[in-house]
């Protein structure tokens, strides 16, 4: 997960596509462009076979070069511009090209990527973008570096929400506990641990997970006030995360009710 700061100073977490995913989408796109190139050659030869036989070699070379540029430079630029960073390969692999600030790419970005990408990909046979992607934190190639873009994953696996209840003997404490000072990174680690305990917390892994729960509980206690009553580390973590979930749910429901009430009042006003 890569952090992006937009022009409005908003921090976004956009998952950068890996080199393998981007390479696969590139191969799919290249296969499509090759088929289009072969189709144009066959179509032109079918309708003007006699012309090709009498055509000057220099003119035929110019025609072949123009078709090559059309299929492997102009067509990718047009598709990327009109689809706003998508293509057939990226659509299949769930990838989109965006600016470094997370915004939508424009024609100039696609133009730079296309002009740099043709010699970068075809002259080096894909070796240069492979090494650039492996050395860059966001998997960028030279075209991305020149245009200020990178690829993100737009399809994420669905995460089943955890429905762990608050332990009964900690219910009264969670009603008065201050849980708003927990750092987001620590809360993410707690969520991952509880999800692991819920799914695979059995067998030989249970001892390791309990030790991890004790370590996270020690990190969490300075951010909680007042201190919890006597309980195991796992019960303490479960109570905190379950209460955070419940409070967030109640907050969203109140916001939804206010929005619905505002919409109802607006629709009852007479239109002028």
């Amino acid at each position: 997960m890569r952090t992006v700061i937009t022009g409005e100073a908003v921090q976004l977490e956009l998952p950068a596509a890996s080199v393998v995913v981007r390479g696969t989408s590139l191969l799919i796109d290249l296969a499509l462009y090759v088929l289009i190139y072969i189709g144009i050659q066959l179509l032109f030869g079918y309708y003007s076979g006699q012309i090709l036989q009498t055509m000057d070699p220099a003119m035929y070379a110019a025609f072949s070069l123009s078709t090559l540029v059309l299929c492997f430079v102009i067509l990718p630029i047009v598709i990327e511009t009109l689809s706003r960073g998508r293509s057939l390969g990226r659509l299949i692999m769930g990838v989109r090209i965006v600016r470094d600030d997370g915004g939508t790419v424009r024609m100039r970005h696609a133009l730079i990527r296309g002009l740099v990408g043709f010699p970068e990909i075809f002259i080096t046979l894909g070796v240069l973008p492979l090494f650039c992607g492996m050395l860059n934190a966001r998997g960028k190639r030279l075209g991305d570096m020149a245009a200020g873009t990178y690829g993100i994953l737009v399809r994420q696996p669905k995460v089943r929400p955890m429905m762990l209840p608050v332990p009964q003997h900690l219910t009264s404490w969670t009603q008065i506990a201050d849980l708003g000072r927990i750092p987001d990174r620590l809360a993410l680690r707690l969520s991952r641990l509880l999800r692991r305990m819920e799914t695979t917390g059995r067998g030989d892994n249970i001892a390791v997970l309990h030790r991890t729960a004790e370590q996270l509980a020690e990190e969490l206690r300075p951010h909680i006030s007042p201190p919890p009553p006597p309980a195991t580390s796992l019960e303490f973590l479960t109570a905190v995360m379950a209460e955070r979930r419940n409070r967030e749910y109640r907050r969203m429901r109140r916001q939804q009710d206010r929005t619905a009430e505002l919409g109802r009042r607006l629709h009852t006003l007479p239109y002028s």
Side-chain angles (χ1 to χ4, degrees):
M1 190 74 70
R2 305 298 177 185
T3 301
V4 175
I5 305 297
T6 66
E8 293 78 16
V10 178
Q11 181 173 339
L12 303 176
E13 290 187 348
L14 301 178
S18 64
V19 178
V20 177
V21 174
R22 293 196 58 182
T24 305
S25 65
L26 177 61
L27 291 177
I28 297 175
D29 291 334
L30 289 180
L32 174 64
Y33 301 144
V34 168
L35 291 177
I36 295 176
Y37 175 77
I38 295 175
I40 293 177
Q41 293 284 349
L42 294 177
L43 185 64
F44 189 87
Y46 176 78
Y47 283 106
S48 57
Q50 299 298 328
I51 299 178
L52 289 177
Q53 294 177 3
T54 60
M55 184 181 293
D56 183 80
M59 185 177 296
Y60 180 74
F63 165 74
S64 299
L65 180 61
S66 301
T67 307
L68 188 69
V69 173
L70 173 66
C71 294
F72 294 98
V73 179
I74 299 178
L75 187 59
I77 293 175
V78 173
I79 292 177
E80 188 169 300
T81 302
L82 296 179
S83 62
R84 306 218 174 161
R86 303 300 292 271
S87 64
L88 178 63
R90 298 183 196 127
L91 185 64
I92 294 175
M93 300 303 297
V95 179
R96 179 187 292 274
I97 301 299
V98 297
R99 303 196 306 262
D100 284 338
D101 61 355
T104 305
V105 295
R106 306 293 183 182
M107 182 176 179
R108 62 183 180 88
H109 303 98
L111 182 63
I112 295 174
R113 283 172 43 81
L115 295 178
V116 177
F118 183 78
E120 176 189 4
I121 295 173
F122 291 98
I123 295 180
T124 65
L125 299 178
V127 176
L128 183 58
L130 176 61
F131 277 102
C132 291
M134 294 174 61
L135 297 177
N136 190 273
R138 291 182 176 177
K140 290 187 175 187
R141 59 177 179 87
L142 288 182
D144 292 313
M145 298 178 188
T149 59
Y150 77 108
I152 63 171
L153 294 174
V154 296
R155 287 201 302 261
Q156 297 295 321
K158 293 184 179 180
V159 179
R160 184 174 60 87
M162 290 187 300
M163 300 305 295
L164 295 176
V166 178
Q168 187 66 31
H169 62 286
L170 296 178
T171 303
S172 301
W173 170 76
T174 56
Q175 301 302 318
I176 62 173
D178 181 12
L179 310 178
R181 299 181 299 168
I182 302 177
D184 292 337
R185 292 185 180 275
L186 179 57
L188 179 60
R189 293 167 59 193
L190 296 177
S191 178
R192 289 176 177 173
L193 173 67
L194 294 178
R195 188 174 299 277
R196 181 69 61 84
M197 293 289 296
E198 187 180 22
T199 56
T200 61
R202 57 182 63 89
D204 298 335
N205 295 329
I206 192 66
V208 178
L209 294 177
H210 275 293
R211 287 196 298 268
T212 305
E214 293 176 359
Q215 297 174 0
L216 292 178
E218 292 298 326
E219 296 182 28
L220 180 63
R221 284 191 175 90
H223 303 284
I224 303 298
S225 178
T232 64
S233 299
L234 188 59
E235 291 175 341
F236 171 52
L237 299 181
T238 302
V240 171
M241 297 306 295
E243 181 60 26
R244 277 172 57 95
R245 177 203 62 207
N246 296 339
R247 293 183 183 182
E248 183 66 17
Y249 174 76
R250 290 193 293 267
R251 184 189 67 81
M252 294 179 64
R253 284 303 303 263
R254 289 194 299 267
Q255 183 178 0
Q256 184 179 9
D257 293 341
R258 288 195 298 266
T259 303
E261 178 64 21
L262 178 61
R264 187 188 63 81
R265 292 183 179 180
L266 291 176
H267 283 81
T268 55
L269 293 176
Y271 293 99
S272 59

